[in-house]
Amino acid sequence: MNFPSPAQVRLNGLLGRALAASQTAHLARFIQDKDSPPIALFCPQHTAHNHEGDWYGEHAGKWLCAAAQAVERTGDPRLESSLRRVADYLVSVQDAAGYLGTYAPARRFMCRQVAGPRTWDGAPGQRTWDIWVHSYLILGLLAAGRVLAQPGYIAAARKIGDLCWRTLSEGGIAITSLGNHHGLSATVLLDPAVELYLVTREPRYLELAKLILQQANEAPALELLPQILGGADAAFIATGKAYQLSWNLVGLAKLYRATGEPGYLQAVQQVWESIRQHHLTLGGGPWGGVAHRSREVFNPPHVFSPYGYVETCSTFSWIQLNRELLALTGEARYADEIEKSAYNDLLGAQAPDGDNWCYYSFPNGKRVFTTYWRCCKSSGPWALEELPPIAYGVTGEGHLTVNLYGPGQVTLTSPFAGAVRLEQVTRYPFEGDIRITVEPERSAKFAILLRVPGWAEQAVIQVNGAVVAVPARPNSFAALEQVWQSGDVITLQLPMPPRLHRQVNRNLQESRTPDGSPVSQEVLHFDYAAITRGPLVYATGLIDGFKSEETIRLPSKPEAALELLDPPAGSEARAVRLNLGYRPPLTFSPYFEAGGRADGAWRLTWLQIAPG
């Protein structure tokens, strides 16, 4: 599946407002020129004395990527000027060898660092995020170079790639010695290395990617591909750091695209399945960190807690991973995960005016907007900018796909019909009725593939008022193939009853008897319930105005206790009331807007169910 450029797509409605707020309040203000704090870090007078080993330079590359996509999408001249000023400045301070980081010379990734005791997460003796920062700079310079048609930016990205190649090959420095989490924060260079190859077709960059993977496989504490293909759960690959692991998988998926090596795709899909089954919140964000040294690593499989940490950076990299798999396979399940993450844990982390983000979100917990320098302030806006091109696609056979639902329009290029404009009129994700008008440049026979969401049962599809007898199975594409003419109308009806979900926090004590027979005993068991409607997860505030936990007793027919209410003032979404009978009803609203999206507001997704 090929995606359109951001310029071909316009998202309106909920996602459109989030994009506009992010562009106006964050991208246009956070970075503007060389004096903006995240860019001032690259000033030679600062770098000459920076021995801190910090990661703050990542904001530059992330902002370049997000701003370039926003400029391509909107043509905003002020943002384009900022993008050009920042890229020009970064290129101007790159040294002759290609180095473009924030570290003093003795701390740079080309220098073998003094060995020291490693911490629990496998960090080097001296903390370093230099490769990490350069990885984002490569991606950002490539994006800016493409959108602004500036070959000098691409040349600067190539110089970084060449320096990395010399360091890891001739220099004899192992990539896994340049990052923490047993090297995961450095082996992310796999992604920009492959991207350099795909943009330039220079074989050296493909060799760089293969060398990174080889070193990641050979490092005893990482063993990336051997661990994956051996069946290791995501939690047990290195330290199970969600963000870094997902970014490594993005690079591995791109390496499959570049080489066609089937083992790479198999490995990516295996870990994807591990994450999907065991490590996602109901709202689609990778979670973990419960009773762990790090808030950002996966918990072991089968562990559940309503208090798990969802790092916005992890949600961002999960969306990117599903983007790559959707492009490679065309399978609806990957678009389903993108939509779930976007409408829940991603929007649930954004401030309503677009200028701030939560570093962590929690299924049950308080919304806390982060401080100035936190990484998620740049990951969230970039994740939003990924959504417009992902919303639609063109298959290898030339058929058109609708991957995400929401009001807006796109113009796609069909080999059969020329330019085809699709316009969605809908209140989705708040209601399930979707109307799509088809405007081909010329009448022709081709297929339009509509994604049937994984939660959507008994979907009904009509073309020009007549029901179409095509399979509409949940989590698949329904293919509508016919001669399409200007003015044809597709209607899609997705029933959205509120649904109750169950989860269990349990612990089994496992051992063996003296004769070797296995024995196990459940020593902990708590049941929980949560509510969704369509793609939206619902949450309530503090119970009775002050309780952050509540044990409820469900009636014998729990679904009958769910009552749909009209949207409250200031919301487009219908509320859901849980009528328990023995106490006043509890009212739920979509997770992303619960508590008015205010800093400090509480959101409770899961309520404990009474024993028995």
Side-chain angles (χ1 to χ4, degrees):
M1 184 183 296
N2 296 306
F3 302 129
S5 77
Q8 297 172 256
V9 184
R10 180 176 177 183
L11 299 186
N12 299 325
L14 181 59
L15 293 180
R17 291 193 296 274
L19 280 159
S22 174
Q23 180 177 336
T24 301
H26 181 81
L27 291 177
R29 298 178 183 175
F30 186 58
I31 292 176
Q32 296 179 332
D33 53 33
K34 65 183 179 65
D35 296 320
S36 300
I39 304 303
L41 295 174
F42 294 85
C43 171
Q45 287 72 31
H46 170 79
T47 61
H49 306 287
N50 180 25
H51 294 267
E52 291 300 316
D54 60 59
W55 47 264
Y56 301 121
E58 73 174 59
H59 287 293
K62 286 181 174 180
W63 182 87
L64 286 172
C65 288
Q69 288 172 268
V71 166
E72 186 174 17
R73 178 174 58 85
T74 67
D76 182 340
R78 292 183 61 187
L79 187 58
E80 180 179 337
S81 295
S82 294
L83 179 63
R84 197 179 301 275
R85 282 195 302 271
V86 170
D88 283 345
Y89 175 72
L90 291 172
V91 171
S92 76
V93 296
Q94 185 177 33
D95 74 15
Y99 184 81
L100 183 52
T102 62
Y103 285 17
R107 293 297 320 279
R108 295 177 179 178
F109 70 84
M110 307 88 75
C111 303
R112 203 177 297 274
Q113 298 300 309
V114 176
R118 288 191 171 238
T119 63
W120 72 272
D121 65 351
Q126 294 197 58
R127 184 170 178 261
T128 175
W129 290 85
D130 209 13
I131 281 285
W132 174 269
V133 169
H134 280 85
S135 295
Y136 276 123
L137 286 169
I138 291 173
L139 295 175
L141 288 166
L142 289 176
R146 178 182 60 80
V147 170
L148 300 180
Q150 286 290 332
Y153 303 161
I154 295 174
R158 294 187 64 159
K159 287 176 67 176
I160 297 173
D162 294 340
L163 179 60
C164 292
W165 169 250
R166 293 194 301 271
T167 300
L168 301 183
S169 58
E170 301 164 15
I173 295 179
I175 187 75
T176 52
S177 70
L178 298 174
N180 63 359
H181 296 280
H182 302 300
L184 273 181
S185 66
T187 55
V188 297
L189 182 63
L190 179 62
D191 174 17
V194 181
E195 196 66 29
L196 273 170
Y197 170 72
L198 294 173
V199 170
T200 68
R201 292 297 166 177
E202 168 56 57
R204 180 170 62 257
Y205 302 129
L206 185 58
E207 292 306 307
L208 172 60
K210 291 178 179 178
L211 178 59
I212 293 165
L213 183 58
Q214 177 188 334
Q215 293 183 356
N217 293 341
E218 293 174 350
L222 180 52
E223 294 183 324
L224 187 60
L225 269 184
Q227 285 287 322
I228 295 173
L229 296 177
D233 181 83
F236 304 130
I237 299 170
T239 61
K241 181 71 161 65
Y243 178 15
Q244 276 92 324
L245 180 57
S246 293
W247 191 6
N248 273 266
L249 296 174
V250 170
L252 194 56
K254 290 183 180 180
L255 189 57
Y256 168 75
R257 193 197 318 169
T259 65
E261 170 54 49
Y264 298 158
L265 180 59
Q266 177 191 344
V268 173
Q269 290 179 313
Q270 273 188 218
V271 186
W272 179 91
E273 190 63 39
S274 165
I275 295 171
R276 188 192 66 82
Q277 286 190 12
H278 303 301
H279 304 292
L280 295 179
T281 66
L282 198 58
W287 75 276
V290 175
H292 204 288
R293 282 177 163 178
S294 171
R295 294 170 294 276
E296 299 159 12
V297 300
F298 291 124
N299 280 104
H302 310 297
V303 170
F304 167 76
S305 171
Y307 310 110
Y309 295 80
V310 180
E311 185 190 12
T312 298
C313 290
S314 298
T315 303
F316 154 64
S317 59
W318 176 245
I319 288 172
Q320 287 196 317
L321 175 58
N322 280 280
R323 175 203 65 197
E324 291 301 313
L325 288 169
L326 176 61
L328 289 171
T329 70
E331 295 179 16
R333 57 181 177 160
Y334 302 118
D336 214 58
E337 293 299 329
I338 292 169
E339 183 175 86
K340 184 194 306 179
S341 300
Y343 277 129
N344 295 288
D345 282 344
L346 182 62
L347 290 187
Q350 186 189 29
D353 57 5
D355 70 333
N356 213 334
W357 289 80
C358 298
Y359 190 165
Y360 301 113
S361 301
F362 308 88
N364 288 23
K366 188 167 65 172
R367 179 194 286 263
V368 178
F369 295 140
T370 190
T371 56
Y372 180 88
W373 286 104
R374 292 293 98 184
C375 47
C376 298
K377 292 194 73 161
S378 291
S379 292
W382 187 2
L384 285 174
E385 292 294 342
E386 293 282 0
L387 299 177
I390 295 173
Y392 301 90
V394 180
T395 71
E397 297 78 22
H399 303 305
L400 313 185
T401 69
V402 182
N403 302 324
L404 304 181
Y405 293 114
Q409 52 271 328
V410 65
T411 300
L412 300 171
T413 301
S414 162
F416 311 107
V420 180
R421 186 175 186 270
L422 303 177
E423 181 176 9
Q424 286 193 58
V425 177
T426 178
R427 293 191 63 244
Y428 195 92
F430 307 114
E431 300 298 336
D433 295 330
I434 301 163
R435 175 187 172 95
I436 302 174
T437 303
V438 185
E439 299 281 353
E441 184 179 348
R442 56 182 180 272
S443 298
K445 184 177 182 180
F446 59 94
I448 298 177
L449 279 62
L450 304 181
R451 181 180 62 87
V452 181
W455 50 265
E457 298 177 359
Q458 299 179 328
V460 176
I461 302 173
Q462 296 178 316
V463 175
N464 297 329
V467 174
V468 180
V470 298
R473 296 182 299 274
N475 230 351
S476 70
F477 281 105
L480 311 179
E481 186 167 17
Q482 65 174 59
V483 175
W484 294 98
Q485 303 183 60
S486 182
D488 283 342
V489 175
I490 303 168
T491 57
L492 178 61
Q493 294 172 303
L494 304 173
M496 284 188 174
R499 291 181 177 168
L500 206 66
H501 299 256
R502 300 290 191 93
Q503 259 293 4
V504 59
N505 177 11
R506 66 195 296 256
N507 189 281
L508 290 179
Q509 184 183 39
E510 298 175 309
S511 185
R512 291 186 180 274
T513 62
D515 66 2
S517 303
V519 60
S520 67
Q521 179 185 26
E522 185 178 73
V523 295
L524 181 147
H525 189 115
F526 295 103
D527 289 302
Y528 290 85
I531 297 169
T532 63
R533 180 171 181 262
L536 296 177
V537 175
Y538 274 62
T540 189
L542 293 174
I543 306 297
D544 300 326
F546 69 96
K547 289 182 286 188
S548 60
E549 294 182 343
E550 178 81 348
T551 299
I552 60 172
R553 188 169 59 246
L554 290 174
S556 57
K557 295 182 179 179
E559 301 288 348
L562 301 177
E563 177 188 1
L564 271 178
L565 306 177
D566 290 336
S571 174
E572 297 178 81
R574 300 184 72 176
V576 175
R577 186 156 62 194
L578 178 60
N579 297 303
L580 296 169
Y582 66 88
R583 59 149 293 138
L586 299 173
T587 302
F588 291 74
S589 59
Y591 173 83
F592 81 88
E593 69 176 16
R597 306 183 75 179
D599 189 23
W602 282 83
R603 298 179 285 193
L604 306 180
T605 302
W606 295 98
L607 298 184
Q608 194 175 132
I609 302 173

